[in-house]
């Protein structure tokens, strides 16, 4: 760890990532677990995207949003996990300030995209269930385009501001980032100048995403439950209640953990460094791992589409095996 006198004429341009130093003796086991999670994310999300693309019945706004969620989940995990594995396995923990800021931007940018996609999926289900006769008029290609532009503008503008403010800081204390990747607050903590603007920007992020998206998601699911519980049979009510509560629990965990890790430094929340690092990794890794199960395996249409593709592939394989025999006779 490098130290330097506090001066405006010096600022670190390279840093060291400390990824779970308390578990250094067990880093191989930790790396194996993260590697298996990485494979699970890649496999689960890739299969879901493949099924949605190949099955024509799934070419609708709802499944387009699920497909986008899978792509975002894969990208955000790929942004942090390969570097984490290199750090754990080979102690390749050095990172330049420029690379750190780039990783910070894409990590928070993609996480914000996921938040917007979850909100859009909740609104899509609200329109489909509560206003079914107007669904095609509301959720048309024009609405999807406007939603995409809104998502990109909101995420790019806010996260760019966050990174620009972080890049203007002077880092003349320690150059050791107590995290597995370049998290915003983990880097800002190392600054030797005022970070009030950075903490304010972090609060704006929470207000713009958590403060806006959560109420819309919660309202949408409450309206959906209200309609379904009044109209459906008892078995269908139980199924709808289970589906909605599962979605809400996963979403609330995503938002709650993300909010705590994002604001822990600014609000001086007393959280152990190892716990804070684990929460910062899990809030990215867990949704990317379980989303293919929640929105894929647990969705009847996607399950049927996957079975159809498997049957078609098996039929093609059998026909290829039979063809040479026919040719010989």
């Amino acid at each position: 760890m490098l130290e330097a006198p506090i001066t405006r004429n010096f600022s670190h341009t390279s840093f060291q990532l400390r990824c779970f130093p308390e578990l250094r003796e067990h880093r191989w086991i930790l790396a194996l677990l993260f590697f298996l999670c990485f494979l699970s994310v890649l496999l689960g999300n890739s299969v879901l995207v493949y099924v949605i693309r190949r099955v024509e019945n799934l070419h609708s706004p709802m499944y387009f949003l699920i497909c986008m969620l899978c792509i975002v989940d894969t990208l955000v995990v790929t942004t942090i996990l390969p570097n984490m594995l290199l750090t754990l396995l080979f102690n390749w923990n050095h990172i330049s300030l420029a690379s750190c800021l780039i990783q910070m931007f894409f990590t928070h940018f993609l996480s914000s995209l996921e938040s917007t996609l979850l909100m859009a999926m909740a609104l899509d289900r609200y329109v489909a269930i509560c206003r079914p006769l107007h669904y095609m008029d509301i959720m048309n290609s024009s609405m999807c385009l406007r939603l995409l532009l809104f998502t990109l503008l909101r995420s790019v503008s806010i996260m760019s501001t966050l990174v620009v403010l972080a890049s203007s800081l002077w880092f003349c204390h320690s150059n050791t980032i107590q995290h597995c990747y370049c998290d915003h607050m983990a880097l800002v903590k190392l600054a030797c100048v005022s970070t009030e603007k950075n903490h304010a920007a972090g609060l704006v992020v929470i207000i713009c995403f958590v403060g806006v998206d959560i109420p819309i998601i919660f309202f949408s699911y409450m309206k959906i439950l209200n309609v379904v519980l009044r109209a459906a049979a008892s078995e269908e009510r139980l199924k709808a209640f289970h589906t909605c509560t599962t979605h809400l629990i996963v979403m609330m965990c995503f938002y709650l953990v993300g909010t705590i890790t994002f604001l822990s430094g600014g609000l001086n929340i007393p959280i152990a460094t190892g716990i804070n690092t684990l929460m910062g990794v899990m809030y990215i890794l867990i949704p990317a791992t379980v989303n293919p199960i929640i929105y894929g395996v647990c969705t009847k249409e996607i399950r049927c589409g996957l079975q159809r593709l498997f049957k078609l592939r098996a039929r093609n394989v059998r026909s290829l095996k039979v063809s040479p025999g026919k040719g010989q006779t």
Side-chain angles (χ1 to χ4, degrees), residues 78-184:
T78 305
T79 301
I80 67 167
L81 262 188
N83 283 342
M84 278 180 55
L85 293 175
L86 291 175
T87 299
L88 290 169
L89 292 174
F90 307 110
N91 204 31
W92 293 356
N93 58 354
H94 289 272
I95 188 168
S96 66
L97 177 59
S99 299
C100 183
L101 293 171
I102 290 171
Q103 187 186 55
M104 180 195 301
F105 172 77
F106 281 106
T107 302
H108 295 312
F109 168 70
L110 292 168
S111 296
S112 67
L113 285 185
E114 179 163 2
S115 175
T116 308
L117 286 170
L118 291 174
M119 178 185 69
M121 289 166 64
L123 287 173
D124 175 83
R125 291 299 82 204
Y126 165 75
V127 175
I129 294 174
C130 300
R131 302 185 63 185
L133 298 180
H134 302 282
Y135 179 76
M136 296 307 299
D137 295 328
I138 297 174
M139 298 301 295
N140 51 31
S141 57
S142 176
M143 174 60 72
C144 291
L145 182 60
R146 287 199 296 268
L147 181 61
L148 178 62
L149 290 175
F150 165 75
T151 300
L152 293 176
L153 284 174
R154 183 173 74 153
S155 296
V156 169
S157 59
I158 294 176
M159 296 309 166
S160 296
T161 303
L162 202 71
V163 172
V164 168
L165 287 174
S167 67
S168 65
L169 295 174
W170 286 74
F171 306 98
C172 43
H173 287 307
S174 169
N175 75 330
T176 301
I177 299 174
Q178 300 289 344
H179 215 294
C180 292
Y181 60 90
C182 281
D183 178 69
H184 174 253

